[in-house]
Structures are given as C-alpha cells and as structure tokens.
Amino acid sequence: MIRALLGDRPEITPVWFMRQAGRSLPEYRALRSRGSMIDACLDPAMASEITMQPVRRHGVDAAIFFSDIIIPLALMGIHVEIAAGRGPVFSQPLHTTADIARTVAIDPALVTERGGPIVDAVGRTTAMLAELSEERGEPLPLIGFAGAPFTLAAYLVEGGPSKDHMAARRLIHDDPAAWADLTAWLAEVTGRFLALQIEAGASAGQLFDSWAGGLHPDDYRSSALPASVTALAHARALPLPDGVDRLPLVHFGVGTGEILADMATPDIDALGVDYRVPLDEAHRRIGRDLTLQGNLDPAMLFAPEPVRTAAIHGILEAGRSARAHVFNLGHGVPMDADPNAISAVVRTVHDWRAR
Ligand code: CP3
C-alpha cells in the first residue's frame, strides 16, 4: 500500500475502502449499540477495535482510523452531534461575521492538547495491526485522515448536511474576509488533527474534501484550495521515523472532475478519484504522474457478481495509465452494503494481474 501510494507498482494491486469501518458490519453495529458516535471516536479501546474490524473481515491492505472529520472541532468544545443517517449537526451554526470571529478566536493548539484519546487509539491500533501483520506476513499500515477546511466550513456555516452548500457558497462572495479567516483557522485545526494521528503512528494520511465538487473551479482555486494546502503542510512538515523517506499523502473529493489538476498539489502523492471520472481520463486531466486511488461506484456493491467483476477489471485496466493504482470505491461504503460483497471485491482485486 505504502509503496503504491508513493509510486511503485506491486504485483498485487492494494485495496482499502473509504468507510470500511461502519454500519455495513454487524460486528460494528454490535459494538456501537450504546453511546454516541462521538463518544465512540473518543473511546480509544472502541475506536481501535472498530478500526480493526474490516481489516480482519475483508483482508484489505490498510486500516483507516475510525474517527470523524468533526472530531477536532468537538475536542475544542464546539457542540456537534452526528445524526444517524444524516451526518454532523452543529447546535450553533456560524451565521454571522461575529459568530465566525468568536469561533476563530479558539486556539487551534487545543486539538493537540486535548488529543490524548486520538493518540491512545492510534497507538492501540498500530499495535494490533503489527500483530495481524505478523500473522499475515505482510505490512498493514494505518491511514490517518482529516476533513478539508472547505468541507468543514460548509458544515459549520450550514449547521448540518446540505445538498447544495448554499450557505458556504454565499459566504465566499458575501463576506470574503470572514470566509478567509474561517478557512485559515480550519486549516490549523484540521492540519493538527492529521498531524496528531501521524505522530502517533499512522503511516499515511488522507485529506477528505467531500464537498469540493460543489464549487465553481475558480472559487475552489481561490477560496478552498489554499487552506487545504496549509492543512496538508502540517503533515508534510513532520519529522519522519527512521527508515521512512516520505509520508504518503492522499487528496480526495467527490464530484471533482473539473478540479483534479488543482487538487494534485505538490505535497500529495496520490489523488482519490470519485466514480464519475474513469481513471485513465483522470490521469489525462491531472497532467502529472501521481498514484490514482479509486474508483468503483459504491452502487456496484449491489450488482450481480459478473457485472461487479467486469467493472472492477475495467477500473484496474484504466488504473494502468497512472504510475501506480490503489483500489478503492469512488466514495464511502453504503451502510446497507452486504459485507460479503465487499470482501468479494478485495478478492477480485487481489486476483487480478496486469497483462
Ligand atoms: O471507515 C472509515 O472510513 C473511517 C472512519 C470515517 C468516518 N467518517 C466514520 C463515520 C471517516 C474517514 C469519516 C470521514 C467523514 N465524515 C467525511 C469524509 C468522507 C466522506 O464520506 O465524504 C464526512 C463528510 C464526514 C461527516 C459524516 N460523519 C457523515 C456525512 C456521516 C454519515 C451520516 C450517516 O449516518 O450516514 C458521518 C457519520 C459517520 N462517520 C459514521 C461513521 C462510521 C456513521 C455513524 C454511525 O454509526 O451512526
């Protein structure tokens, strides 16, 4: 996985899934039957166990840390809940310039100071991964992650999930100074959350800009991307452990066909592509040789086996256009997906060899 992210082509294409830990797994639902999502994220024993579940069950080549993009905000004392089936909901959305000014006055260093449960959970996870890796005879890295400032800002100003992110798109033009303050502050907050996981032992990082595709490309470049670059720089600036030459960083968003080349910033090694753009076309649009990650339509988890296999093979072929390919879905695992279908994808990817 790590070699592929950095540009090598191992004989077997590595695979992991966004949202591989979660409600598609009965063992997750059993553990999560009590308590809130945020409590689960801040409980190191539970968060590390949930992180391991899909690695054990599906045989994926990496774990993604079980947490959420809003956890650094919760650590700072901002009141947020995760509504089942909807997503993060803030009790005090940032509606006015004064709301934003009050929020950005909170010191981002609090994320690091209060990040003990995250550091503990990452430590427990890497210890369990090392054990399983010994059993399997192959390395099993932990991928850390953070939300991009734009996606986090969209939740904060909207107060919750939104189809069109209108509040964020309005604010960019209506009060550019407040928008700049908010996204610059979020870059510090979310950059620290990512750095915390990497310092605690995660071997790679992914920045999720889930809603970046909702912006006009010019607005993405001027009003979203700069803060993402700052957030990624936090991870890039960390000292590397002995024997490690480079920390692999992945950048991902949904509906990003028009901005793929912009997302391919110098600090990243791999670009996550959603299911709407074929990988060979994505490679052409990027115009730079990065590792590509993706991009099976999550809906294919519900397709008959021969249909799904053909789609996987098509993606693996298209992925050959790039220097290297890490297989993934084009977005997260749907909660009602059949876990056996997810495991079957792993087997199909692992059985495939470039001709
Ligand atoms: O397995 C993994 O991918 C690791 C953990 C992970 C979660 N959220 C767990 C989770 C990661 C990497 C995220 C990131 C995240 N969170 C993103 C970016 C990725 C994306 O999907 O675009 C976003 C936008 C969020 C915000 C968020 N949190 C949403 C939209 C939801 C879904 C609401 C729902 O119930 O479907 C959540 C909740 C959430 N995050 C769950 C999980 C496992 C479900 C919580 C539950 O069990 O009730």
Side-chain angles (χ1 to χ4, degrees):
M1 175 68 68
I2 298 296
R3 277 172 52 209
L5 289 172
L6 292 175
D8 255 16
R9 239 179 208 289
E11 194 191 9
I12 297 173
T13 304
V15 50
W16 69 280
F17 302 113
M18 295 182 275
R19 289 281 170 82
Q20 63 187 21
R23 279 172 299 179
S24 63
L25 299 184
E27 58 270 35
Y28 171 84
R29 295 195 297 264
L31 257 187
R32 277 290 330 281
S33 61
R34 275 172 301 143
S36 76
M37 168 71 186
I38 291 174
D39 290 343
C41 292
L42 296 178
D43 174 342
M46 193 180 293
S48 54
E49 175 57 25
I50 292 173
T51 303
M52 292 301 294
Q53 287 176 343
V55 187
R56 295 193 197 108
R57 178 193 270 263
H58 301 309
V60 284
D61 299 301
I64 171 100
F65 184 52
F66 176 79
S67 194
D68 201 87
I69 57 170
I70 53 76
I71 288 297
L73 298 170
L75 285 173
M76 302 177 81
I78 294 175
H79 187 258
V80 53
E81 276 169 23
I82 292 182
R86 276 188 74 210
V89 178
F90 291 89
S91 61
Q92 293 182 295
L94 308 184
H95 286 317
T96 65
T97 312
D99 293 338
I100 292 175
R102 244 191 326 273
T103 301
V104 305
I106 306 174
D107 184 357
L110 284 178
V111 176
T112 315
E113 282 164 29
R114 298 180 182 169
I118 303 302
V119 172
D120 188 357
V122 168
R124 288 168 188 253
T125 307
T126 51
M128 287 194 270
L129 282 169
E131 214 167 287
L132 186 57
S133 158
E134 189 99 339
E135 245 168 67
R136 291 203 181 148
E138 59 192 13
L140 286 170
L142 176 65
I143 302 171
F145 75 93
F150 171 72
T151 290
L152 288 169
Y155 278 113
L156 274 168
V157 301
E158 204 80 50
S162 151
K163 278 210 167 61
D164 57 10
H165 318 294
M166 184 57 88
R169 284 161 51 217
R170 277 178 60 165
L171 187 64
I172 287 173
H173 303 287
D174 185 32
D175 194 345
W179 177 261
D181 286 349
L182 178 59
T183 49
W185 178 78
L186 284 167
E188 297 305 313
V189 168
T190 206
R192 282 168 184 272
F193 180 58
L194 182 59
L196 201 58
Q197 296 162 58
I198 289 163
E199 283 188 288
S203 305
Q206 174 159 317
L207 193 72
F208 282 90
D209 206 351
S210 302
W211 312 138
L215 287 173
H216 188 287
D218 290 344
D219 294 332
Y220 177 72
R221 284 175 209 122
S222 63
S223 308
L225 182 60
S228 290
V229 169
T230 304
L232 287 163
H234 273 272
R236 183 53 74 217
L238 294 172
L240 296 171
D242 282 344
V244 175
D245 295 328
R246 186 170 166 92
L247 167 78
L249 291 174
V250 188
H251 200 181
F252 168 78
V254 180
T256 53
E258 301 301 323
I259 55 171
L260 287 172
D262 303 290
M263 292 178 71
T265 64
D267 268 340
I268 70 152
D269 304 287
L271 194 64
V273 182
D274 89 351
Y275 56 88
R276 294 167 183 85
V277 184
L279 292 183
D280 46 352
E281 173 62 14
H283 174 71
R284 201 187 59 73
R285 291 187 191 183
I286 293 162
R288 185 178 140 218
D289 212 9
L290 284 177
T291 298
L292 293 185
Q293 181 176 281
N295 66 347
L296 183 69
D297 183 347
M300 281 291 176
L301 292 171
F302 304 92
E305 202 270 337
V307 174
R308 188 171 64 230
T309 300
I312 294 168
H313 286 165
I315 288 163
L316 287 161
E317 285 297 329
R320 294 175 67 187
S321 58
R323 64 176 192 180
H325 178 204
V326 168
F327 199 93
N328 204 313
L329 300 180
H331 198 179
V333 172
M335 60 184 247
D336 53 346
D338 175 359
N340 294 322
I342 304 171
S343 298
V345 174
V346 176
R347 285 195 298 274
T348 304
V349 172
H350 283 170
D351 286 345
W352 181 85
R353 297 290 180 282
R355 272 175 283 120

